[in-house]
Amino acid sequence: MTTLVRAQRVLETAVATLLRPLFRLLLRQSMSFIAFEEIAKRVFVEVAMKDFGIEGKAPSMSRAAILSGLTRKEVARLLAERPGDEAEPGERYNRAARVLTGWLRDIDFTEADGSPRWLRDEGPRSFAELVRRHSGDVPARAVLDELLRVGAVRRHDDGRIEPLTRAYVPAASVVDKLAILGADVADLIATIEHNIDHGKTEPRFQRKVMYHRIATAQLPALRKLTAVQAQALLERMDRWLQEHDTGVPEDGPEPRAARVGLGIYYFEEPIDDASKEDLVFTGEER
């Protein structure tokens, strides 16, 4: 078997593996395969048009048709029926997250012991000032409504606002959780793609530790341990990023700025196969 054929088979297996949890989610959300197929075809065409053109030539429907295997007529229909801007949920997520992070890190909005202050709506060191400092010109009321909606803050009887969580996690909103699905999984896949193409020269961090025989009675302690230690690491990274998030250079050979981050996730599933290895550690860039 040639390397190319083997790579293709491994890719097909990998796609089937990542589609299984996605399809479980889609079925729970009542999305049919027809709807999924339409989205998949449209995005396939959009990526072919944007990222796989020929240097020096404008993107063409003919090339997109060749790459995607669709007809030119189908490509034209998909491009013509492209939906409107869907970025609003992600932008809301980003703005609310920046405000909450600033609240926990900015010394003007924390107590002497480092805990976040309860803030008034207006005035010095107020919620409005927090939003202006950490989320630009978005209305403070809109950010507050968002944080109240997802249960990240609460308002006390005296009018002051208290943060309830150390991260923006929309616990009550299915819509926002689904938006996070798209953003976070896309970032992970982009990192894997980068490491496939450039892992030897400029790898991006990608690690996983996994055991197969952890007693279920130990899982509550493990969940708590991973949450505490992962949160501590993310907070250290956040402090570094905040210190260096001071604007973009006006000139130079490199791009003016980049969106960067570190994502951590915990997973578990019951298994009955006692023949699996006791330990699997995946520690190389792929």
Side-chain angles (χ1 to χ4, degrees):
M1 183 186 299
T2 67
T3 301
L4 182 61
V5 171
R6 185 172 182 273
Q8 186 65 33
R9 291 188 179 180
V10 171
L11 177 61
E12 290 172 358
T13 300
V15 171
T17 300
L18 71 87
L19 285 177
R20 286 190 181 97
L22 175 61
F23 283 174
R24 283 198 297 268
L25 185 148
L26 297 185
L27 288 167
R28 289 193 184 100
Q29 297 298 320
S30 301
M31 176 180 283
S32 70
F33 180 77
I34 293 174
F36 169 82
E37 182 183 35
E38 187 73 3
I39 295 169
K41 288 193 295 185
R42 186 180 67 247
V43 175
F44 213 101
V45 167
E46 290 174 352
V47 172
M49 292 283 288
K50 178 182 178 183
D51 299 328
F52 289 86
I54 298 175
E55 186 175 357
K57 294 185 178 181
S60 70
M61 287 188 291
S62 295
R63 179 163 174 77
I66 292 171
L67 293 174
S68 66
L70 301 171
T71 66
R72 289 185 74 257
K73 181 178 180 180
E74 184 78 343
V75 169
R77 180 188 68 80
L78 290 165
L79 293 175
E81 296 177 0
R82 196 178 318 181
D85 185 8
E86 299 292 338
E88 192 273 338
E91 179 61 17
R92 186 173 67 239
Y93 167 85
N94 291 334
R95 288 186 179 275
R98 288 202 303 269
V99 169
L100 192 58
T101 298
W103 200 341
L104 300 170
R105 293 286 164 261
D106 194 325
I107 60 173
D108 288 340
F109 302 97
T110 56
E111 304 288 357
D113 63 358
S115 62
R117 294 175 180 266
W118 295 9
L119 303 179
R120 300 285 183 184
D121 286 279
E122 299 287 347
R125 297 186 177 183
S126 65
F127 185 81
E129 176 60 29
L130 173 71
V131 173
R132 281 193 293 271
R133 185 175 300 184
H134 293 281
S135 193
D137 58 358
V138 64
R141 183 67 203 186
V143 176
L144 177 58
D145 287 345
E146 172 66 9
L147 293 176
L148 287 168
R149 183 181 67 85
V150 301
V153 304
R154 68 179 172 188
R155 187 186 289 278
H156 288 268
D157 292 340
D158 63 2
R160 291 184 299 167
I161 307 161
E162 175 194 9
L164 299 177
T165 65
R166 301 186 68 83
Y168 176 84
V169 180
S173 172
V174 172
V175 171
D176 290 287
K177 288 179 180 178
L178 293 175
I180 292 173
L181 161 73
D184 289 2
V185 176
D187 285 339
L188 173 58
I189 293 175
T191 291
I192 295 172
E193 179 196 16
H194 173 89
N195 286 339
I196 290 172
D197 294 336
H198 308 289
K200 290 184 179 180
T201 56
E202 47 182 70
R204 293 178 183 172
F205 188 84
Q206 178 200 338
R207 300 288 191 277
K208 180 177 71 177
V209 61
M210 177 174 63
Y211 283 72
H212 280 289
R213 293 179 182 173
I214 302 298
T216 55
Q218 299 296 324
L219 296 183
L222 177 61
R223 295 180 195 124
K224 182 176 181 180
L225 176 65
T226 54
V228 170
Q229 295 202 5
Q231 182 67 28
L233 173 59
L234 290 175
E235 290 178 7
R236 289 197 300 272
M237 293 301 302
D238 178 73
R239 285 192 289 272
W240 189 94
L241 290 168
Q242 186 179 50
E243 291 172 1
H244 293 79
D245 186 27
T246 56
V248 295
E250 294 299 327
D251 51 22
E254 297 297 326
R256 297 180 61 195
R259 185 178 70 92
V260 300
L262 175 70
I264 302 175
Y265 65 97
Y266 165 87
F267 61 91
E268 67 178 55
E269 63 177 347
I271 60 170
D272 299 318
D273 187 355
S275 66
K276 292 191 175 181
E277 296 178 358
D278 292 335
L279 168 65
V280 175
F281 176 71
T282 305
E284 65 277 359
E285 291 85 2
R286 296 188 294 269

mmCIF file of all heavy atoms in Angstrom, residues 35-52 64 68 70 78-79 82-83:
data_model
loop_
_atom_site.group_PDB
_atom_site.id
_atom_site.type_symbol
_atom_site.label_atom_id
_atom_site.label_comp_id
_atom_site.label_asym_id
_atom_site.label_seq_id
_atom_site.Cartn_x
_atom_site.Cartn_y
_atom_site.Cartn_z
ATOM 1 N N ALA A 35 -30.005 18.757 5.812
ATOM 2 C CA ALA A 35 -29.568 20.093 6.232
ATOM 3 C C ALA A 35 -28.060 20.127 6.434
ATOM 4 O O ALA A 35 -27.380 21.081 6.027
ATOM 5 C CB ALA A 35 -30.288 20.496 7.515
ATOM 6 N N PHE A 36 -27.507 19.072 7.062
ATOM 7 C CA PHE A 36 -26.061 19.002 7.256
ATOM 8 C C PHE A 36 -25.332 18.965 5.912
ATOM 9 O O PHE A 36 -24.323 19.649 5.725
ATOM 10 C CB PHE A 36 -25.702 17.760 8.074
ATOM 11 C CG PHE A 36 -24.230 17.463 8.091
ATOM 12 C CD1 PHE A 36 -23.387 18.128 8.957
ATOM 13 C CD2 PHE A 36 -23.682 16.524 7.215
ATOM 14 C CE1 PHE A 36 -22.024 17.858 8.970
ATOM 15 C CE2 PHE A 36 -22.323 16.257 7.223
ATOM 16 C CZ PHE A 36 -21.496 16.922 8.102
ATOM 17 N N GLU A 37 -25.845 18.177 4.989
ATOM 18 C CA GLU A 37 -25.211 18.053 3.680
ATOM 19 C C GLU A 37 -25.166 19.402 2.960
ATOM 20 O O GLU A 37 -24.159 19.748 2.326
ATOM 21 C CB GLU A 37 -25.972 17.032 2.832
ATOM 22 C CG GLU A 37 -25.354 16.805 1.465
ATOM 23 C CD GLU A 37 -26.170 15.837 0.633
ATOM 24 O OE1 GLU A 37 -27.414 15.855 0.757
ATOM 25 O OE2 GLU A 37 -25.571 15.075 -0.139
ATOM 26 N N GLU A 38 -26.237 20.168 3.067
ATOM 27 C CA GLU A 38 -26.273 21.480 2.410
ATOM 28 C C GLU A 38 -25.211 22.408 2.998
ATOM 29 O O GLU A 38 -24.499 23.112 2.271
ATOM 30 C CB GLU A 38 -27.665 22.088 2.571
ATOM 31 C CG GLU A 38 -27.876 23.368 1.781
ATOM 32 C CD GLU A 38 -28.001 23.140 0.278
ATOM 33 O OE1 GLU A 38 -27.981 21.965 -0.162
ATOM 34 O OE2 GLU A 38 -28.115 24.144 -0.451
ATOM 35 N N ILE A 39 -25.088 22.395 4.319
ATOM 36 C CA ILE A 39 -24.062 23.216 4.970
ATOM 37 C C ILE A 39 -22.674 22.756 4.539
ATOM 38 O O ILE A 39 -21.800 23.577 4.212
ATOM 39 C CB ILE A 39 -24.210 23.137 6.499
ATOM 40 C CG1 ILE A 39 -25.523 23.761 6.947
ATOM 41 C CG2 ILE A 39 -23.038 23.839 7.192
ATOM 42 C CD1 ILE A 39 -25.865 23.489 8.401
ATOM 43 N N ALA A 40 -22.464 21.429 4.552
ATOM 44 C CA ALA A 40 -21.150 20.891 4.204
ATOM 45 C C ALA A 40 -20.756 21.266 2.779
ATOM 46 O O ALA A 40 -19.615 21.665 2.512
ATOM 47 C CB ALA A 40 -21.153 19.368 4.379
ATOM 48 N N LYS A 41 -21.678 21.151 1.849
ATOM 49 C CA LYS A 41 -21.367 21.489 0.458
ATOM 50 C C LYS A 41 -21.038 22.982 0.322
ATOM 51 O O LYS A 41 -20.091 23.347 -0.382
ATOM 52 C CB LYS A 41 -22.552 21.116 -0.447
ATOM 53 C CG LYS A 41 -22.727 19.626 -0.647
ATOM 54 C CD LYS A 41 -23.685 19.297 -1.781
ATOM 55 C CE LYS A 41 -25.104 19.748 -1.487
ATOM 56 N NZ LYS A 41 -26.052 19.325 -2.546
ATOM 57 N N ARG A 42 -21.827 23.826 0.975
ATOM 58 C CA ARG A 42 -21.590 25.264 0.851
ATOM 59 C C ARG A 42 -20.229 25.655 1.422
ATOM 60 O O ARG A 42 -19.466 26.407 0.796
ATOM 61 C CB ARG A 42 -22.699 26.050 1.564
ATOM 62 C CG ARG A 42 -22.560 27.570 1.334
ATOM 63 C CD ARG A 42 -23.656 28.355 2.023
ATOM 64 N NE ARG A 42 -23.557 28.271 3.463
ATOM 65 C CZ ARG A 42 -24.431 27.660 4.249
ATOM 66 N NH1 ARG A 42 -25.481 27.039 3.743
ATOM 67 N NH2 ARG A 42 -24.268 27.633 5.556
ATOM 68 N N VAL A 43 -19.898 25.126 2.601
ATOM 69 C CA VAL A 43 -18.614 25.471 3.214
ATOM 70 C C VAL A 43 -17.460 24.900 2.398
ATOM 71 O O VAL A 43 -16.411 25.532 2.243
ATOM 72 C CB VAL A 43 -18.568 24.976 4.673
ATOM 73 C CG1 VAL A 43 -17.184 25.227 5.279
ATOM 74 C CG2 VAL A 43 -19.642 25.679 5.504
ATOM 75 N N PHE A 44 -17.632 23.692 1.870
ATOM 76 C CA PHE A 44 -16.605 23.096 1.008
ATOM 77 C C PHE A 44 -16.305 24.022 -0.167
ATOM 78 O O PHE A 44 -15.130 24.284 -0.494
ATOM 79 C CB PHE A 44 -17.097 21.739 0.506
ATOM 80 C CG PHE A 44 -16.016 20.719 0.313
ATOM 81 C CD1 PHE A 44 -15.790 19.730 1.245
ATOM 82 C CD2 PHE A 44 -15.220 20.753 -0.830
ATOM 83 C CE1 PHE A 44 -14.792 18.781 1.060
ATOM 84 C CE2 PHE A 44 -14.222 19.818 -1.018
ATOM 85 C CZ PHE A 44 -14.002 18.824 -0.073
ATOM 86 N N VAL A 45 -17.340 24.544 -0.789
ATOM 87 C CA VAL A 45 -17.169 25.444 -1.926
ATOM 88 C C VAL A 45 -16.524 26.752 -1.489
ATOM 89 O O VAL A 45 -15.620 27.278 -2.165
ATOM 90 C CB VAL A 45 -18.531 25.705 -2.602
ATOM 91 C CG1 VAL A 45 -18.437 26.870 -3.581
ATOM 92 C CG2 VAL A 45 -19.014 24.452 -3.319
ATOM 93 N N GLU A 46 -16.966 27.298 -0.365
ATOM 94 C CA GLU A 46 -16.402 28.564 0.115
ATOM 95 C C GLU A 46 -14.913 28.435 0.412
ATOM 96 O O GLU A 46 -14.122 29.324 0.068
ATOM 97 C CB GLU A 46 -17.158 29.031 1.354
ATOM 98 C CG GLU A 46 -18.578 29.506 1.064
ATOM 99 C CD GLU A 46 -19.359 29.825 2.325
ATOM 100 O OE1 GLU A 46 -18.842 29.520 3.430
ATOM 101 O OE2 GLU A 46 -20.482 30.355 2.219
ATOM 102 N N VAL A 47 -14.507 27.327 1.033
ATOM 103 C CA VAL A 47 -13.091 27.111 1.325
ATOM 104 C C VAL A 47 -12.304 26.924 0.030
ATOM 105 O O VAL A 47 -11.194 27.448 -0.117
ATOM 106 C CB VAL A 47 -12.918 25.893 2.259
ATOM 107 C CG1 VAL A 47 -11.439 25.530 2.415
ATOM 108 C CG2 VAL A 47 -13.539 26.178 3.628
ATOM 109 N N ALA A 48 -12.865 26.177 -0.909
ATOM 110 C CA ALA A 48 -12.182 25.993 -2.194
ATOM 111 C C ALA A 48 -11.967 27.335 -2.894
ATOM 112 O O ALA A 48 -10.900 27.583 -3.468
ATOM 113 C CB ALA A 48 -12.997 25.054 -3.085
ATOM 114 N N MET A 49 -12.970 28.198 -2.841
ATOM 115 C CA MET A 49 -12.867 29.512 -3.478
ATOM 116 C C MET A 49 -11.860 30.416 -2.772
ATOM 117 O O MET A 49 -11.064 31.110 -3.411
ATOM 118 C CB MET A 49 -14.237 30.186 -3.496
ATOM 119 C CG MET A 49 -15.271 29.530 -4.387
ATOM 120 S SD MET A 49 -15.034 29.893 -6.148
ATOM 121 C CE MET A 49 -15.535 31.621 -6.215
ATOM 122 N N LYS A 50 -11.861 30.380 -1.449
ATOM 123 C CA LYS A 50 -11.039 31.325 -0.686
ATOM 124 C C LYS A 50 -9.589 30.873 -0.543
ATOM 125 O O LYS A 50 -8.660 31.679 -0.657
ATOM 126 C CB LYS A 50 -11.643 31.523 0.703
ATOM 127 C CG LYS A 50 -10.838 32.462 1.590
ATOM 128 C CD LYS A 50 -11.445 32.586 2.980
ATOM 129 C CE LYS A 50 -10.591 33.484 3.867
ATOM 130 N NZ LYS A 50 -11.119 33.555 5.243
ATOM 131 N N ASP A 51 -9.374 29.580 -0.246
ATOM 132 C CA ASP A 51 -8.059 29.117 0.183
ATOM 133 C C ASP A 51 -7.315 28.256 -0.831
ATOM 134 O O ASP A 51 -6.149 27.921 -0.600
ATOM 135 C CB ASP A 51 -8.194 28.317 1.491
ATOM 136 C CG ASP A 51 -8.766 29.153 2.622
ATOM 137 O OD1 ASP A 51 -8.505 30.363 2.641
ATOM 138 O OD2 ASP A 51 -9.477 28.590 3.486
ATOM 139 N N PHE A 52 -7.955 27.889 -1.936
ATOM 140 C CA PHE A 52 -7.304 26.977 -2.867
ATOM 141 C C PHE A 52 -7.331 27.494 -4.300
ATOM 142 O O PHE A 52 -7.424 26.715 -5.250
ATOM 143 C CB PHE A 52 -7.946 25.581 -2.782
ATOM 144 C CG PHE A 52 -7.616 24.874 -1.501
ATOM 145 C CD1 PHE A 52 -8.384 25.082 -0.366
ATOM 146 C CD2 PHE A 52 -6.529 24.033 -1.418
ATOM 147 C CE1 PHE A 52 -8.091 24.446 0.824
ATOM 148 C CE2 PHE A 52 -6.212 23.395 -0.224
ATOM 149 C CZ PHE A 52 -6.997 23.601 0.896
ATOM 150 N N ALA A 64 -13.597 25.695 -8.245
ATOM 151 C CA ALA A 64 -14.298 25.198 -7.055
ATOM 152 C C ALA A 64 -15.066 23.922 -7.380
ATOM 153 O O ALA A 64 -15.139 22.998 -6.562
ATOM 154 C CB ALA A 64 -15.240 26.274 -6.513
ATOM 155 N N SER A 68 -14.282 20.395 -5.523
ATOM 156 C CA SER A 68 -15.357 19.872 -4.678
ATOM 157 C C SER A 68 -16.062 18.660 -5.268
ATOM 158 O O SER A 68 -16.735 17.906 -4.552
ATOM 159 C CB SER A 68 -16.393 20.969 -4.415
ATOM 160 O OG SER A 68 -17.050 21.335 -5.614
ATOM 161 N N LEU A 70 -18.504 18.981 -7.304
ATOM 162 C CA LEU A 70 -19.864 19.430 -7.605
ATOM 163 C C LEU A 70 -19.910 20.032 -9.007
ATOM 164 O O LEU A 70 -18.881 20.365 -9.596
ATOM 165 C CB LEU A 70 -20.316 20.465 -6.573
ATOM 166 C CG LEU A 70 -20.331 19.999 -5.109
ATOM 167 C CD1 LEU A 70 -20.570 21.179 -4.176
ATOM 168 C CD2 LEU A 70 -21.399 18.929 -4.883
ATOM 169 N N LEU A 78 -24.961 27.445 -4.544
ATOM 170 C CA LEU A 78 -24.508 27.498 -3.154
ATOM 171 C C LEU A 78 -23.948 28.871 -2.810
ATOM 172 O O LEU A 78 -24.203 29.412 -1.726
ATOM 173 C CB LEU A 78 -23.448 26.416 -2.916
ATOM 174 C CG LEU A 78 -23.970 24.980 -2.933
ATOM 175 C CD1 LEU A 78 -22.809 23.994 -3.051
ATOM 176 C CD2 LEU A 78 -24.805 24.687 -1.696
ATOM 177 N N LEU A 79 -23.203 29.447 -3.736
ATOM 178 C CA LEU A 79 -22.638 30.775 -3.483
ATOM 179 C C LEU A 79 -23.723 31.848 -3.483
ATOM 180 O O LEU A 79 -23.670 32.803 -2.709
ATOM 181 C CB LEU A 79 -21.566 31.096 -4.517
ATOM 182 C CG LEU A 79 -20.305 30.228 -4.451
ATOM 183 C CD1 LEU A 79 -19.375 30.564 -5.609
ATOM 184 C CD2 LEU A 79 -19.590 30.418 -3.124
ATOM 185 N N ARG A 82 -25.794 31.879 -0.133
ATOM 186 C CA ARG A 82 -25.001 31.993 1.086
ATOM 187 C C ARG A 82 -25.792 32.765 2.140
ATOM 188 O O ARG A 82 -26.333 33.830 1.862
ATOM 189 C CB ARG A 82 -23.699 32.727 0.776
ATOM 190 C CG ARG A 82 -22.629 32.578 1.850
ATOM 191 C CD ARG A 82 -21.358 33.281 1.444
ATOM 192 N NE ARG A 82 -21.016 33.061 0.039
ATOM 193 C CZ ARG A 82 -19.930 33.557 -0.529
ATOM 194 N NH1 ARG A 82 -19.106 34.272 0.159
ATOM 195 N NH2 ARG A 82 -19.696 33.325 -1.802
ATOM 196 N N PRO A 83 -25.878 32.250 3.388
ATOM 197 C CA PRO A 83 -26.642 32.946 4.415
ATOM 198 C C PRO A 83 -25.963 34.239 4.833
ATOM 199 O O PRO A 83 -24.802 34.493 4.494
ATOM 200 C CB PRO A 83 -26.688 31.947 5.571
ATOM 201 C CG PRO A 83 -25.467 31.105 5.372
ATOM 202 C CD PRO A 83 -25.279 31.013 3.877
#
